[in-house]
């Protein structure tokens, strides 16, 4: 069961975001401390939520392409569960950035909204979708 949730959220991507935030803090401060973990948790949760949303909104195309590697198409996770868990993870991720600071909170909120917009309509806009994906890959740094 956990394997299916891992696949849905592409958990490895969230862990990469987590590490990217920590590495970025290390590069700018030249120190490494446990305090660097907290600012990395919110972005990781947002990433997990965004991937769950991506599968929910891409369900029809994934099904048409017979993507059995996707938990929703394989039937191991219900689409509604993916939508709810994705929404909860993104909301929690944004909330966890609030104690980090106003700038971190604003960036998290903006990228969460853009992640939602990507699945709803940016994905079908080649240039806008590509610009968003490229920026979302680099914002952790």
């Amino acid at each position: 069961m956990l394997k299916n949730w891992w696949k849905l959220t592409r958990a490895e991507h969230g862990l990469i975001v987590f590490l990217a935030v920590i590495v970025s803090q290390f590069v700018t401060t030249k120190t490494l401390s446990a305090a660097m973990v907290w600012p990395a948790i919110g972005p990781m949760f947002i990433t997990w939520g965004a991937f769950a949303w991506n599968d929910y909104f891409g369900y029809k195309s994934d099904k048409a392409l017979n993507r059995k590697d996707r938990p929703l198409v394989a039937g191991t996770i219900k689409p509604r569960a993916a939508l709810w868990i994705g929404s909860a993870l993104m909301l929690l991720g944004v909330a966890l950035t609030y104690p980090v600071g106003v700038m971190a909170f604003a960036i998290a909120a903006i990228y969460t909204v853009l992640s939602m917009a990507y699945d709803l309509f940016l994905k079908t806009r080649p240039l806008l979708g590509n610009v968003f994906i490229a920026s979302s890959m680099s914002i952790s740094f």
Side-chain angles (χ1 to χ4, degrees), residues 2-51:
L2 187 58
K3 178 178 151 184
N4 296 319
W5 288 101
W6 181 281
K7 283 182 176 182
L8 177 72
T9 61
R10 317 297 195 282
E12 66 277 6
H13 290 268
L15 294 174
I16 290 167
V17 166
F18 178 85
L19 288 174
V21 173
I22 290 175
V23 167
S24 297
Q25 293 177 86
F26 174 74
V27 167
T28 59
T29 65
K30 306 291 189 255
T31 61
L32 193 59
S33 75
M36 294 177 167
V37 170
W38 183 259
I41 294 172
M44 178 177 65
F45 279 36
I46 293 166
T47 302
W48 289 343
F51 275 108

Side-chain angles (χ1 to χ4, degrees), residues 5 7-10 45-59 72 77-79 81-90 119:
W5 288 101
K7 283 182 176 182
L8 177 72
T9 61
R10 317 297 195 282
F45 279 36
I46 293 166
T47 302
W48 289 343
F51 275 108
W53 257 54
N54 184 266
D55 273 17
Y56 175 81
F57 286 98
Y59 176 72
L72 302 186
I77 295 175
K78 301 281 185 212
L83 176 64
W84 282 105
I85 209 71
S87 300
L89 285 168
M90 286 189 284
D119 287 315

Side-chain angles (χ1 to χ4, degrees), residues 98-128:
Y98 184 76
V100 177
V102 174
M103 185 63 76
F105 180 74
I107 291 169
I110 289 167
Y111 270 85
T112 298
V113 168
L114 287 172
S115 291
M116 295 168 147
Y118 176 78
D119 287 315
L120 295 172
F121 62 88
L122 286 177
K123 188 188 293 189
T124 60
R125 309 284 192 282
L127 183 59
L128 290 175

